[in-house]
Amino acid sequence: MDHTTARERLDSMLAELDRSIRVLTGEPVAVRERSAADAGSDLTEADRAQAMLDVAVSQRRAVVNALRRIDDGVYGECVDCGKPVPEGRLEARPEAARCVQCQSKQERRR
């Protein structure tokens, strides 16, 4: 993927992630009189919202890092082994920092 196309896609992703993060961190709804069951439901919703926020923040970090790699002239190179990240992987995930093999190793370490 050429750097111009990658930058456009990443900038678009960044704007969408910023919008999602703003929505997820919005002002809480006023607390009402609620039963214990409703409070449990609220906790579940809060947990779900926090999980979505965590994913959005993590993905935003990956997009910003990809934009930085474009600026540094190393976009499309695996950050671990230095080999090219496959074109298809960058098409599917323009923020990808690792080749498939290194990404697999990274995920097994977690």
Side-chain angles (χ1 to χ4, degrees), residues 1-2 8-9 14 30 39 49 51 54-55 66 70 103:
M1 173 183 317
D2 67 272
E8 288 171 0
R9 289 186 62 196
L14 186 60
D54 292 346
V55 168
I70 289 174
Q103 184 63 41

Side-chain angles (χ1 to χ4, degrees), residues 59-73:
Q59 188 170 7
R60 185 185 190 286
R61 188 176 312 115
V63 168
V64 168
N65 288 338
L67 288 166
R68 190 171 297 127
R69 288 192 303 279
I70 289 174
D71 292 340
D72 294 344

Side-chain angles (χ1 to χ4, degrees), residues 8-66:
E8 288 171 0
R9 289 186 62 196
L10 289 163
D11 283 338
S12 176
M13 290 172 69
L14 186 60
E16 183 61 34
L17 287 164
D18 285 342
R19 278 190 294 277
S20 295
I21 289 169
R22 279 193 305 275
V23 167
L24 289 168
T25 59
E27 291 295 311
V29 177
V31 177
R32 306 182 296 262
E33 291 290 319
R34 304 189 67 93
S35 70
D38 288 339
S41 174
D42 286 347
L43 180 59
T44 301
E45 289 174 24
D47 291 342
R48 206 171 305 131
Q50 184 60 50
M52 290 188 310
L53 179 60
D54 292 346
V55 168
V57 168
S58 177
Q59 188 170 7
R60 185 185 190 286
R61 188 176 312 115
V63 168
V64 168
N65 288 338

